[in-house]
Amino acid sequence: MKLNLTTDLLTIELEWYEQLWAVTLERQMHIPLDRIDRATTDEPQSNWAEIRAPGTFLPGVIKAGTYYTKRGREFWYVTTDNNYLTLELHDEPYRQIVITIPDNLAWCDRLNRSLNQQDR
């Protein structure tokens, strides 16, 4: 998975196998920064009552794809590591995007700095 940040847009690019596990044809997600409410590295809440449609779930291994929760429609691509990056969104198809990436702290800091500059 690759992330790219410009002055007003975050792009998340999935590898072919990530698309396969997430059961999505979308290779890239483009999220305008003004639609991101917050970025965090906190472990997101997850429970058995979520509806997966479509996606993959292997407990302790991977959670990938589209999930419907009490919070709304969410995209997850989380593996066994705990390097979470959670994006809370508004006016987008997904209410939340949850991924795991090796440099999650740096990306969270970078995104929040960009979001603060957007608020000015």
Side-chain angles (χ1 to χ4, degrees):
M1 180 176 311
K2 296 177 186 168
L3 276 62
N4 184 37
L5 182 62
T6 63
T7 57
D8 61 349
L9 187 71
L10 172 67
T11 301
I12 301 172
E13 185 176 337
L14 302 175
E15 299 290 340
W16 69 269
Y17 59 90
E18 293 166 331
Q19 286 179 269
L20 181 67
W21 284 114
V23 190
T24 182
L25 297 175
E26 293 181 51
R27 183 165 168 73
Q28 295 183 339
M29 288 185 265
H30 303 282
I31 306 145
L33 290 184
D34 63 356
R35 296 201 181 157
I36 300 174
D37 293 328
R38 181 170 87 119
T40 181
T41 58
D42 298 337
E43 182 174 356
Q45 291 187 356
S46 179
N47 65 43
W48 61 270
E50 299 168 343
I51 298 170
R52 178 182 69 231
T56 302
F57 179 67
L58 299 170
V61 179
I62 191 169
K63 179 177 181 177
T66 299
Y67 288 79
Y68 293 88
T69 70
K70 291 179 182 179
R71 296 175 299 274
R73 185 176 180 218
E74 301 177 353
F75 180 83
W76 287 68
Y77 196 92
V78 174
T79 57
T80 55
D81 58 6
N82 291 326
N83 299 326
Y84 296 105
L85 178 62
T86 301
L87 307 174
E88 296 175 10
L89 311 172
H90 66 274
D91 299 328
E92 281 291 306
Y94 295 110
R95 181 74 180 99
Q96 184 169 265
I97 295 176
V98 182
I99 58 177
T100 51
I101 55 175
D103 48 354
N104 66 327
L105 295 172
W107 272 104
C108 185
D109 183 53
R110 188 173 173 197
L111 281 165
N112 283 321
R113 275 189 277 122
S114 293
L115 293 174
N116 287 337
Q117 289 176 353
Q118 292 277 319
D119 291 338
R120 292 181 188 177

